[in-house]
Amino acid sequence: MKIKRILIANRGEIAVRIIYACKELGIESVAVYSEADKDSLHVFLADQSVCIGPPPSSQSYLNIPRIISAAEITGCDAIHPGYGFLAENAEFAEIVKSSGFIFIGPEPEHISKMGDKAMARKIMKEAGVPVIPGSGDVIENVKDGIDIAREIGYPLILKAAAGGGGKGMRIVRSEKDFEISFKTAQAEAQAAFGDKRLYIEKFIEKPKHIEVQVLGDGKGKILTLFERECTLQRKHQKILEEAPSPSIDEKLRKKLMDYAKRGAKAINYKSAGTLEFLMDSDKNLYFIEMNTRIQVEHPVTEFITGIDLIKTQIELEEKDSLNLEEKDIEMRGHAIEVRINAEDPDRGFMPSPGK
């Protein structure tokens, strides 16, 4: 099916990025915006724009009925969620599809399965992808947690089952710190995700953080577009993203691509996605999570492969197949992306964008 008009359920850089891809494909774009963003670049560049509410994102960019209404009144065929906001919300993907629109992204069940970190670990383990030693299932209470922590050994890390972005995470170095860390992580997970479930993993000291970009057609075909390294982080937020990784050789790269392909194939993945791994000092690789969306860092992969990931996502929905083959994907050159944080170092690095 030829897509004629796409609503972009996002703002800022990723909305602009999707608009440019639409222009190159001859597809009309519809921007949504809150009252605070009416003069934003994505509103100016889109073919049409719709105000979906006041500045708080809960009343605008996270308001599913308003986004669906905007798509209906502008006669859109499809909705692209970008990253952040509703991009990894399985319920949103389901509503988009049941409302008669194409969701440019993975199937709702893929988002749901990989969004639950404990379930994702289980799926990967069954697919033969190594995971960090851990609890396997979620931990309901402090006592069970302490028992499992003794089996795994310290240091360990508590993680929110529904989490990401460093929320609901606590490193625990000894048993005396376990209870307070567990309760703090639970409270943070509940506040951030409305889900207080935690699981435990062995904490790997000074790991390398390497992720693999994948594309799937939902019918078993999975392509890997090499890796990006994002070891340099602060508060679990990526600061520098680099492709290819300077930490691995060709032999390790082959192993990494194989693990990523196995993992994505295990759920018959469709669209663009990223599998994230940690590598310890002995070069052992461990799966940590899968992001079922386009990522902030996707241009790094585009620079070294020459493949436009947003256009590929859209074309996959139009043609119901991937036009690429593994032999078409070559690595050329090197790319680095840096996150610039506007902060005030005299106030504990509080956000401070200025005027």
Side-chain angles (χ1 to χ4, degrees):
M1 174 193 169
K2 173 64 182 163
I3 295 172
K4 295 175 183 173
R5 189 173 297 141
I6 294 174
L7 180 129
I8 301 154
N10 219 298
R11 65 178 174 190
E13 185 269 342
I14 188 60
V16 171
R17 173 74 187 81
I18 297 165
I19 289 166
Y20 280 132
C22 287
K23 285 183 188 299
E24 288 182 32
L25 291 169
I27 295 170
E28 289 183 25
S29 57
V30 176
V32 294
Y33 63 94
S34 74
E35 290 165 4
D37 297 327
K38 68 181 192 310
D39 297 320
S40 290
L41 182 61
H42 77 288
V43 178
F44 173 75
L45 290 174
D47 295 297
Q48 295 184 57
S49 59
V50 180
C51 180
I52 52 169
S57 56
S58 59
Q59 297 173 47
S60 51
Y61 300 102
L62 293 172
N63 190 310
I64 296 174
R66 287 184 180 179
I67 288 169
I68 297 297
S69 295
E72 285 172 344
I73 63 170
T74 53
C76 288
D77 311 297
I79 295 177
H80 197 307
Y83 50 66
F85 290 133
L86 296 165
E88 289 181 286
N89 185 313
E91 183 191 5
F92 175 61
E94 193 64 69
I95 290 170
V96 167
K97 291 173 78 104
S98 63
S99 299
F101 301 104
I102 295 164
F103 181 75
I104 301 174
E107 297 297 333
E109 66 183 90
H110 299 156
I111 300 172
S112 184
K113 283 177 178 175
M114 292 298 106
D116 185 318
K117 301 298 186 287
M119 186 186 287
R121 277 173 57 88
K122 187 170 179 288
I123 290 168
M124 293 300 153
K125 212 170 177 181
E126 288 170 0
V129 180
V131 299
I132 297 170
S135 57
D137 290 316
V138 292
I139 308 300
E140 301 293 341
N141 57 63
V142 172
K143 184 186 176 302
D144 290 347
I146 288 172
D147 290 343
I148 288 164
R150 284 173 183 162
E151 287 175 31
I152 296 168
Y154 293 91
L156 53 83
I157 187 163
L158 297 166
K159 289 186 175 182
K167 298 283 194 304
M169 287 174 71
R170 283 291 178 280
I171 296 165
V172 189
R173 296 193 177 276
S174 67
E175 193 168 302
K176 68 181 174 62
D177 300 324
F178 189 91
E179 185 170 353
I180 186 70
S181 298
F182 188 88
K183 288 177 177 175
T184 304
Q186 260 194 339
E188 200 172 272
Q190 181 65 40
F193 312 112
D195 184 342
K196 68 177 184 179
R197 295 175 309 141
L198 303 177
Y199 66 98
I200 300 174
E201 279 183 356
K202 179 75 178 166
F203 180 64
I204 297 172
E205 300 277 7
K206 296 184 178 175
K208 298 293 184 183
H209 190 148
I210 305 170
E211 58 191 26
V212 180
Q213 177 72 58
V214 297
L215 287 168
D217 67 355
K219 300 170 188 171
K221 182 178 181 179
I222 302 292
L223 302 175
T224 54
L225 282 76
F226 307 111
E227 79 285 352
R228 304 185 289 255
E229 180 165 340
C230 48
T231 300
L232 186 60
Q233 300 184 16
R234 198 185 67 191
K235 297 178 182 173
H236 307 290
Q237 294 284 344
K238 297 166 186 176
I239 299 294
L240 191 142
E241 192 90 21
E242 185 172 8
S245 163
S247 304
I248 64 171
D249 56 22
E250 204 51 51
K251 188 179 173 185
L252 257 178
R253 178 170 292 114
K254 197 169 180 297
K255 187 186 277 192
L256 187 63
M257 298 304 118
D258 177 57
Y259 287 154
K261 191 171 279 191
R262 269 195 241 174
K265 224 166 198 170
I267 58 168
N268 219 4
Y269 191 71
K270 178 188 161 199
S271 197
T274 302
L275 287 90
E276 303 201 10
F277 296 84
L278 290 185
M279 185 174 77
D280 66 18
S281 54
D282 294 322
K283 306 275 186 184
N284 295 306
L285 294 161
Y286 302 101
F287 167 85
I288 49 171
E289 67 177 353
M290 182 176 185
N291 299 127
T292 51
R293 54 174 164 78
I294 200 78
Q295 283 193 281
V296 176
E297 308 85 26
H298 77 274
V300 172
T301 295
E302 292 182 326
F303 273 121
I304 65 158
T305 61
I307 294 165
D308 188 312
L309 292 170
I310 305 284
K311 281 165 69 173
T312 303
Q313 278 189 303
I314 296 167
E315 287 169 337
L316 171 60
E317 297 298 338
E318 287 188 318
K319 297 166 185 168
D320 198 32
S321 64
L322 281 169
N323 286 348
L324 287 164
E325 297 297 333
E326 203 82 63
K327 62 180 173 59
D328 301 326
I329 305 166
E330 293 179 19
M331 189 194 299
R332 295 177 187 172
H334 201 99
I336 296 174
E337 176 179 296
V338 181
R339 183 189 299 247
I340 298 172
N341 295 311
E343 299 167 330
D344 185 346
D346 295 327
R347 295 197 308 149
F349 293 94
M350 285 279 286
S352 179
K355 294 180 181 176

